[in-house]
């Protein structure tokens, strides 16, 4: 049966989402915990997207096929097996569509980049430090961002020879906001 997990993670110290042979990854840690929970059975996951080294996710989705019924208190038990940097937020009902893919059925993705003028050891993983925020020209940054809407083919951002069905993306929103 195919299940969907909703998770969050701090990607510092990981090579990104995708499983790597010789480097720690979010997917690798998650699959190891799932396999342990299912008594050593190999459990593979498919993420809605990939993140690069050191990138975090407030809300990421993946699916996996369970070899049998889920154990009681599944989310709690899985969270106990995962490192503190990875948290399962929710387990979604099994899908009745055996071809459902967290990656290919995703309707949208959202990315957030933060710049801060406050140097803090607690923010360094989550925001880019800029000592002179007053030198940022927000109207110019907003005008440059609007250029993104002129493009729909983002092949240059894709892995060469990858299994993508398309490189066409539709950006629905891009903005800078000062808080």
């Amino acid at each position: 049966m195919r299940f969907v997990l909703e998770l969050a993670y701090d990607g510092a110290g990981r090579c990104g989402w995708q499983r790597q042979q010789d480097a720690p990854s979010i997917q690798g840690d998650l699959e190891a915990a799932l396999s342990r929970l299912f008594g050593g059975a190999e459990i593979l996951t498919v993420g809605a997207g990939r993140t690069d080294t050191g990138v975090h996710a407030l809300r990421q989705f993946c699916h996996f096929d369970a070899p049998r019924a889920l154990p009681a208190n599944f989310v709690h038990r899985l969270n106990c097996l995962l490192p503190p940097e990875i948290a399962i937020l929710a387990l979604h009902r099994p899908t009745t569509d055996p071809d459902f893919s967290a990656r290919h059925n995703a309707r949208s993705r959202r990315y957030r980049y933060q710049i801060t003028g406050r140097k803090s050891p607690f923010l360094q993983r989550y925001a880019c430090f800029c000592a002179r925020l007053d030198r940022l020209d927000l109207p110019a940054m907003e005008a440059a961002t609007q250029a993104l809407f002129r493009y729909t083919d983002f092949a240059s951002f894709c892995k060469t020879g990858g299994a993508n069905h398309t490189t066409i993306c539709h950006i629905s929103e891009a903005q800078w906001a000062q808080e």
Side-chain angles (χ1 to χ4, degrees):
M1 195 169 294
R2 185 158 289 181
F3 290 89
V4 177
L5 290 174
E6 184 176 342
L7 63 151
Y9 52 85
D10 179 324
R14 301 288 190 294
C15 67
W17 163 265
Q18 192 169 11
R19 176 187 337 100
Q20 302 291 321
Q21 189 171 358
D22 296 320
S25 69
I26 302 300
Q27 185 180 35
D29 288 345
L30 178 58
E31 289 176 350
L34 284 166
S35 293
R36 200 166 156 207
L37 199 55
F38 283 103
E42 183 180 45
I43 307 293
L44 302 178
T45 62
V46 175
R50 297 179 352 187
T51 52
D52 292 330
T53 298
V55 174
H56 319 294
L58 292 172
R59 198 167 173 225
Q60 166 76 296
F61 293 87
C62 71
H63 77 258
F64 72 96
D65 294 324
R68 59 183 175 277
L70 299 184
N73 300 319
F74 176 79
V75 170
H76 173 75
R77 291 175 69 184
L78 183 56
N79 272 325
C80 288
L81 292 172
L82 287 166
E85 300 83 15
I86 305 171
I88 302 302
L89 304 175
L91 169 70
H92 295 277
R93 282 188 251 195
T95 176
T96 56
D97 179 2
D99 295 324
F100 172 84
S101 168
R103 177 179 174 209
H104 296 294
N105 291 102
R107 286 180 264 163
S108 66
R109 290 168 176 81
R110 179 180 292 171
Y111 301 90
R112 180 178 182 165
Y113 302 91
Q114 298 181 112
I115 301 171
T116 181
R118 183 175 148 219
K119 186 168 182 176
S120 165
F122 302 106
L123 293 176
Q124 70 182 3
R125 290 182 175 184
Y126 311 109
C128 176
F129 172 66
C130 177
R132 298 294 311 266
L133 283 179
D134 59 323
R135 291 189 178 175
L136 294 179
D137 185 344
L138 283 176
M141 292 165 65
E142 186 68 37
T145 299
Q146 295 308 307
L148 292 172
F149 291 96
R150 293 197 307 256
Y151 301 95
T152 56
D153 191 344
F154 291 87
S156 61
F157 291 92
C158 296
K159 178 177 144 184
T160 305
N164 295 326
H165 295 316
T166 180
T167 58
I168 303 300
C169 295
H170 299 284
I171 297 175
S172 59
E173 182 181 0
Q175 65 181 356
W176 291 95
Q178 189 168 5
E179 297 175 1

